[in-house]
Amino acid sequence: MTHRRDAGPAGAAAGGMARPWAGNTWDSALSSEEFAAIKGVGFEPVGQVLGTAVFNIGYTGVWGCPGAWSVAGGAKVPSSMWASSLSQLVRTMYSARRLALARAVAECRALGGDGIVGVDLRVGEFPAGGLEFTVLGTAVRARSRIRPRLPFTSHLSGQAFAALVHAGWVPTGLAFGIALETRHDDWRTSRLASWAAGNQEVDGYTQLINHVRQDARKQLALDAAKHGGDGLVVDEMELRVRESECPVYGNSRDLIAEAVFVGTSIARFGRSERPAGPKPLTIMRLERER
Protein backbone atom coordinates (compact mmCIF):
# COMPACT_ATOMS: atom_id res chain seq x y z
CA MET A 1 0.00 0.00 0.00
CA THR A 2 1.45 3.38 -0.96
CA HIS A 3 0.77 6.82 0.46
CA ARG A 4 0.70 10.11 -1.35
CA ARG A 5 3.11 12.71 -0.02
CA ASP A 6 0.26 15.21 0.19
CA ALA A 7 -1.69 13.14 2.71
CA GLY A 8 -2.75 16.38 4.40
CA PRO A 9 -4.51 17.01 7.68
CA ALA A 10 -7.00 14.19 7.24
CA GLY A 11 -4.22 11.62 7.14
CA ALA A 12 -2.49 13.21 10.12
CA ALA A 13 -5.65 13.14 12.20
CA ALA A 14 -6.17 9.41 11.67
CA GLY A 15 -3.73 8.51 14.42
CA GLY A 16 -3.78 11.77 16.32
CA MET A 17 -0.25 12.56 15.10
CA ALA A 18 1.25 14.45 12.20
CA ARG A 19 2.46 12.30 9.32
CA PRO A 20 6.07 13.16 8.39
CA TRP A 21 5.51 12.68 4.65
CA ALA A 22 2.89 15.43 4.80
CA GLY A 23 5.67 17.94 5.26
CA ASN A 24 5.50 18.16 9.07
CA THR A 25 8.50 18.10 11.40
CA TRP A 26 9.32 14.76 13.01
CA ASP A 27 11.45 13.95 16.04
CA SER A 28 13.82 11.09 16.67
CA ALA A 29 16.00 9.49 19.35
CA LEU A 30 18.70 8.78 16.74
CA SER A 31 22.16 10.26 16.58
CA SER A 32 23.35 11.73 13.29
CA GLU A 33 25.41 8.57 12.63
CA GLU A 34 22.39 6.35 13.27
CA PHE A 35 20.25 8.52 11.01
CA ALA A 36 22.76 8.20 8.15
CA ALA A 37 23.09 4.44 8.65
CA ILE A 38 19.32 3.87 8.54
CA LYS A 39 18.97 6.04 5.44
CA GLY A 40 21.73 4.01 3.81
CA VAL A 41 19.69 0.80 3.93
CA GLY A 42 16.46 2.30 2.59
CA PHE A 43 14.64 3.43 5.72
CA GLU A 44 13.40 6.82 6.89
CA PRO A 45 12.73 7.81 10.52
CA VAL A 46 9.15 9.00 10.97
CA GLY A 47 9.08 9.95 14.65
CA GLN A 48 9.87 9.10 18.22
CA VAL A 49 7.46 6.68 19.92
CA LEU A 50 6.73 6.02 23.58
CA GLY A 51 4.81 3.36 25.45
CA THR A 52 4.33 3.19 29.21
CA ALA A 53 2.45 1.16 31.82
CA VAL A 54 2.37 1.33 35.62
CA PHE A 55 1.81 -1.97 37.43
CA ASN A 56 1.43 -2.88 41.08
CA ILE A 57 3.83 -5.81 41.52
CA GLY A 58 3.92 -7.92 44.64
CA TYR A 59 1.22 -10.57 44.89
CA THR A 60 2.58 -14.00 43.96
CA GLY A 61 -0.60 -15.98 44.49
CA VAL A 62 0.98 -18.08 47.28
CA TRP A 63 0.63 -17.66 51.01
CA GLY A 64 3.58 -18.17 53.28
CA CYS A 65 7.16 -19.03 52.42
CA PRO A 66 7.57 -19.35 48.63
CA GLY A 67 10.86 -21.19 49.06
CA ALA A 68 9.01 -24.10 50.58
CA TRP A 69 6.61 -24.26 47.64
CA SER A 70 9.16 -24.25 44.82
CA VAL A 71 10.40 -27.79 45.25
CA ALA A 72 8.59 -30.76 43.72
CA GLY A 73 10.07 -34.24 43.78
CA GLY A 74 13.49 -32.88 44.76
CA ALA A 75 13.70 -30.55 41.74
CA LYS A 76 12.67 -26.93 41.34
CA VAL A 77 9.65 -26.12 39.20
CA PRO A 78 10.46 -23.45 36.55
CA SER A 79 8.63 -20.21 37.27
CA SER A 80 7.30 -20.26 33.70
CA MET A 81 5.16 -23.32 34.51
CA TRP A 82 1.67 -23.13 35.95
CA ALA A 83 2.73 -25.46 38.79
CA SER A 84 5.26 -22.93 40.08
CA SER A 85 4.41 -20.76 43.06
CA LEU A 86 5.79 -17.73 41.20
CA SER A 87 4.11 -18.29 37.83
CA GLN A 88 1.46 -15.60 38.38
CA LEU A 89 4.10 -13.00 39.24
CA VAL A 90 6.18 -13.90 36.17
CA ARG A 91 3.12 -13.61 33.90
CA THR A 92 2.48 -10.12 35.31
CA MET A 93 6.07 -9.10 34.59
CA TYR A 94 5.68 -10.25 31.00
CA SER A 95 2.32 -8.50 30.65
CA ALA A 96 3.68 -5.16 31.88
CA ARG A 97 6.57 -5.14 29.39
CA ARG A 98 4.44 -6.30 26.49
CA LEU A 99 1.73 -3.73 27.20
CA ALA A 100 4.25 -0.85 27.19
CA LEU A 101 5.77 -2.22 23.98
CA ALA A 102 2.34 -2.61 22.34
CA ARG A 103 1.55 1.05 23.05
CA ALA A 104 4.80 2.12 21.40
CA VAL A 105 3.91 -0.05 18.39
CA ALA A 106 0.48 1.61 18.24
CA GLU A 107 2.19 5.01 18.00
CA CYS A 108 4.45 3.61 15.27
CA ARG A 109 1.41 2.53 13.26
CA ALA A 110 -0.21 5.92 13.70
CA LEU A 111 2.92 7.48 12.19
CA GLY A 112 2.84 5.07 9.26
CA GLY A 113 6.00 3.31 10.42
CA ASP A 114 7.11 -0.21 9.56
CA GLY A 115 9.06 -0.81 12.75
CA ILE A 116 10.88 0.62 15.75
CA VAL A 117 14.65 0.70 16.15
CA GLY A 118 16.72 1.55 19.20
CA VAL A 119 14.08 0.34 21.65
CA ASP A 120 15.05 1.33 25.19
CA LEU A 121 13.06 -0.56 27.83
CA ARG A 122 13.28 0.86 31.34
CA VAL A 123 11.75 -0.34 34.60
CA GLY A 124 11.69 1.99 37.60
CA GLU A 125 9.79 2.70 40.77
CA PHE A 126 6.72 4.88 40.37
CA PRO A 127 6.46 7.68 42.99
CA ALA A 128 2.92 6.73 44.01
CA GLY A 129 3.79 3.03 44.26
CA GLY A 130 4.34 0.15 41.87
CA LEU A 131 6.68 -0.06 38.90
CA GLU A 132 6.70 1.99 35.72
CA PHE A 133 7.57 0.17 32.49
CA THR A 134 8.64 2.52 29.69
CA VAL A 135 9.51 1.82 26.05
CA LEU A 136 11.18 4.52 23.96
CA GLY A 137 12.37 4.23 20.36
CA THR A 138 12.30 5.67 16.86
CA ALA A 139 9.73 4.54 14.29
CA VAL A 140 11.10 3.99 10.78
CA ARG A 141 9.49 3.45 7.38
CA ALA A 142 10.96 1.56 4.43
CA ARG A 143 11.31 3.29 1.08
CA SER A 144 9.64 0.36 -0.61
CA ARG A 145 6.26 -0.82 -1.81
CA ILE A 146 6.61 -3.93 0.35
CA ARG A 147 5.09 -3.38 3.78
CA PRO A 148 5.45 -5.77 6.73
CA ARG A 149 2.20 -7.17 8.07
CA LEU A 150 3.11 -6.06 11.60
CA PRO A 151 5.64 -3.41 12.68
CA PHE A 152 8.87 -4.95 13.95
CA THR A 153 10.56 -3.93 17.21
CA SER A 154 14.29 -4.04 17.87
CA HIS A 155 16.77 -2.86 20.48
CA LEU A 156 19.46 -2.49 17.79
CA SER A 157 21.04 0.91 17.25
CA GLY A 158 20.85 2.58 13.84
CA GLN A 159 24.31 1.35 12.86
CA ALA A 160 23.65 -2.20 14.10
CA PHE A 161 20.29 -2.25 12.30
CA ALA A 162 21.97 -1.17 9.05
CA ALA A 163 24.71 -3.81 9.44
CA LEU A 164 22.06 -6.46 10.05
CA VAL A 165 20.16 -5.53 6.86
CA HIS A 166 23.39 -5.43 4.84
CA ALA A 167 24.16 -8.96 6.03
CA GLY A 168 20.78 -10.22 4.82
CA TRP A 169 18.87 -10.27 8.10
CA VAL A 170 15.88 -8.33 9.41
CA PRO A 171 14.55 -7.88 12.96
CA THR A 172 11.19 -9.49 13.67
CA GLY A 173 10.48 -8.48 17.25
CA LEU A 174 11.74 -7.78 20.75
CA ALA A 175 11.88 -10.96 22.83
CA PHE A 176 11.86 -11.43 26.61
CA GLY A 177 13.00 -14.20 28.90
CA ILE A 178 11.95 -13.82 32.55
CA ALA A 179 12.42 -16.26 35.41
CA LEU A 180 12.10 -16.14 39.19
CA GLU A 181 13.37 -18.74 41.63
CA THR A 182 13.54 -18.94 45.41
CA ARG A 183 15.69 -20.97 47.73
CA HIS A 184 15.24 -21.40 51.44
CA ASP A 185 18.42 -21.03 53.47
CA ASP A 186 18.75 -24.45 55.10
CA TRP A 187 21.33 -25.23 57.78
CA ARG A 188 24.00 -26.32 55.29
CA THR A 189 23.72 -23.19 53.16
CA SER A 190 23.74 -20.95 56.22
CA ARG A 191 26.88 -22.70 57.48
CA LEU A 192 28.72 -22.35 54.16
CA ALA A 193 27.76 -18.67 53.88
CA SER A 194 28.94 -17.73 57.36
CA TRP A 195 32.18 -15.77 57.93
CA ALA A 196 33.70 -18.74 59.77
CA ALA A 197 33.32 -21.11 56.80
CA GLY A 198 36.38 -19.80 54.99
CA ASN A 199 36.84 -19.39 51.24
CA GLN A 200 34.68 -21.98 49.50
CA GLU A 201 31.77 -22.25 47.10
CA VAL A 202 28.24 -21.93 48.47
CA ASP A 203 26.79 -24.51 46.12
CA GLY A 204 23.18 -23.77 47.06
CA TYR A 205 23.54 -20.20 45.80
CA THR A 206 25.35 -21.39 42.66
CA GLN A 207 22.49 -23.76 41.87
CA LEU A 208 19.95 -20.96 42.42
CA ILE A 209 21.47 -18.51 39.96
CA ASN A 210 22.31 -21.20 37.40
CA HIS A 211 18.76 -22.52 37.46
CA VAL A 212 17.11 -19.09 37.12
CA ARG A 213 19.42 -18.07 34.26
CA GLN A 214 18.82 -21.31 32.38
CA ASP A 215 15.07 -20.90 32.68
CA ALA A 216 15.25 -17.26 31.48
CA ARG A 217 17.43 -18.24 28.49
CA LYS A 218 14.98 -20.98 27.54
CA GLN A 219 12.01 -18.59 27.72
CA LEU A 220 13.92 -16.00 25.65
CA ALA A 221 14.50 -18.54 22.88
CA LEU A 222 10.83 -19.60 22.93
CA ASP A 223 9.67 -15.97 22.74
CA ALA A 224 12.02 -15.31 19.80
CA ALA A 225 10.59 -18.31 17.97
CA LYS A 226 7.07 -16.89 18.39
CA HIS A 227 8.23 -13.85 16.40
CA GLY A 228 9.30 -16.11 13.55
CA GLY A 229 13.00 -15.57 14.14
CA ASP A 230 15.82 -17.80 12.96
CA GLY A 231 18.23 -16.33 15.48
CA LEU A 232 18.56 -13.95 18.38
CA VAL A 233 20.71 -10.93 19.21
CA VAL A 234 20.85 -10.53 22.99
CA ASP A 235 20.80 -7.02 24.41
CA GLU A 236 20.53 -7.32 28.17
CA MET A 237 21.12 -10.03 30.78
CA GLU A 238 20.10 -8.85 34.22
CA LEU A 239 20.27 -10.82 37.46
CA ARG A 240 18.96 -9.51 40.78
CA VAL A 241 19.01 -11.36 44.10
CA ARG A 242 17.12 -10.17 47.16
CA GLU A 243 16.27 -11.53 50.58
CA SER A 244 12.82 -12.29 51.92
CA GLU A 245 11.83 -13.26 55.43
CA CYS A 246 10.35 -16.74 55.70
CA PRO A 247 7.39 -16.70 58.11
CA VAL A 248 6.97 -20.47 58.05
CA TYR A 249 10.32 -21.43 59.54
CA GLY A 250 10.77 -18.66 62.09
CA ASN A 251 13.95 -16.60 62.03
CA SER A 252 15.11 -17.74 58.62
CA ARG A 253 15.19 -16.28 55.14
CA ASP A 254 14.65 -17.06 51.49
CA LEU A 255 16.76 -15.80 48.62
CA ILE A 256 14.78 -14.70 45.54
CA ALA A 257 16.67 -14.60 42.25
CA GLU A 258 15.22 -12.77 39.24
CA ALA A 259 16.71 -13.10 35.75
CA VAL A 260 15.55 -10.92 32.86
CA PHE A 261 16.93 -11.40 29.35
CA VAL A 262 16.06 -9.06 26.47
CA GLY A 263 16.98 -9.51 22.82
CA THR A 264 15.87 -9.04 19.23
CA SER A 265 14.62 -11.93 17.16
CA ILE A 266 16.05 -11.85 13.62
CA ALA A 267 15.18 -13.68 10.39
CA ARG A 268 17.06 -14.12 7.14
CA PHE A 269 15.48 -12.66 4.01
CA GLY A 270 16.07 -13.84 0.44
CA ARG A 271 18.32 -11.94 -1.88
CA SER A 272 19.10 -12.37 -5.52
CA GLU A 273 22.51 -13.84 -6.24
CA ARG A 274 25.05 -11.11 -6.74
CA PRO A 275 28.76 -11.41 -7.40
CA ALA A 276 30.94 -11.00 -4.33
CA GLY A 277 33.16 -7.98 -3.95
CA PRO A 278 32.75 -4.35 -5.00
CA LYS A 279 30.75 -3.36 -8.07
CA PRO A 280 32.79 -2.74 -11.24
CA LEU A 281 33.50 0.90 -12.00
CA THR A 282 32.08 2.56 -15.08
CA ILE A 283 34.92 3.94 -17.22
CA MET A 284 34.40 6.81 -19.63
CA ARG A 285 36.95 7.66 -22.29
CA LEU A 286 37.80 11.36 -22.28
CA GLU A 287 40.22 11.50 -25.23
CA ARG A 288 39.14 13.58 -28.19
CA GLU A 289 38.68 11.80 -31.45
CA ARG A 290 41.38 12.54 -34.03
Side-chain angles (χ1 to χ4, degrees):
M1 180 174 146
T2 58
H3 294 269
R4 295 179 56 186
R5 295 189 61 86
D6 57 344
M17 297 182 180
R19 300 288 176 92
W21 55 82
N24 296 290
T25 303
W26 49 267
D27 59 350
S28 150
L30 301 174
S31 66
S32 57
E33 292 82 3
E34 289 180 297
F35 175 75
I38 287 175
K39 293 263 297 182
V41 290
F43 283 81
E44 300 275 0
V46 295
Q48 192 177 86
V49 293
L50 173 69
T52 187
V54 178
F55 271 65
N56 181 32
I57 305 292
Y59 177 65
T60 65
V62 174
W63 175 85
C65 179
W69 289 72
S70 296
V71 178
K76 280 190 172 295
V77 179
S79 58
S80 55
M81 297 181 61
W82 285 89
S84 169
S85 61
L86 297 171
S87 61
Q88 181 173 338
L89 180 56
V90 169
R91 290 196 299 273
T92 302
M93 294 168 64
Y94 273 114
S95 298
R97 288 169 170 83
R98 287 170 176 163
L99 181 58
L101 186 62
R103 287 171 176 165
V105 170
E107 287 197 1
C108 174
R109 281 181 166 176
L111 290 170
D114 295 320
I116 308 174
V117 298
V119 171
D120 183 15
L121 173 61
R122 301 178 184 179
V123 182
E125 294 185 1
F126 190 68
L131 294 177
E132 180 183 8
F133 297 80
T134 304
V135 170
L136 179 69
T138 299
V140 297
R141 178 177 173 83
R143 296 195 303 267
S144 170
R145 294 182 179 179
I146 302 174
R147 306 258 75 82
R149 185 174 60 87
L150 296 173
F152 64 84
T153 52
S154 169
H155 76 272
L156 297 172
S157 67
Q159 294 95 325
F161 172 76
L164 190 75
V165 175
H166 274 304
W169 296 80
V170 290
T172 59
L174 206 67
F176 303 106
I178 304 173
L180 280 168
E181 296 296 342
T182 65
R183 190 181 194 282
H184 180 72
D185 266 3
D186 53 23
W187 67 269
R188 184 175 183 276
T189 302
S190 300
R191 178 175 59 83
L192 291 175
S194 68
W195 64 270
N199 299 331
Q200 59 180 311
E201 180 186 15
V202 184
D203 54 0
Y205 294 166
T206 300
Q207 293 171 7
L208 173 67
I209 62 175
N210 279 341
H211 194 274
V212 73
R213 280 176 172 151
Q214 289 172 3
D215 190 18
R217 288 174 58 194
K218 179 181 178 181
Q219 299 310 314
L220 179 68
L222 291 174
D223 200 30
K226 293 177 182 177
H227 290 289
D230 301 314
L232 186 69
V233 180
V234 177
D235 171 42
E236 178 185 352
M237 295 183 291
E238 182 182 359
L239 175 68
R240 290 186 291 180
V241 180
R242 64 182 185 272
E243 296 182 4
S244 176
E245 183 180 352
C246 181
V248 176
Y249 295 100
N251 296 325
S252 60
R253 66 174 187 174
D254 289 328
L255 284 185
I256 304 175
E258 174 186 341
V260 179
F261 286 13
V262 181
T264 295
S265 173
I266 60 176
R268 187 182 295 276
F269 66 87
R271 278 185 164 181
S272 59
E273 294 295 329
R274 296 180 180 177
K279 296 181 180 179
L281 296 176
T282 302
I283 300 176
M284 298 179 62
R285 298 181 61 88
L286 299 179
E287 298 90 348
R288 292 185 179 180
E289 293 184 3
R290 295 181 178 178

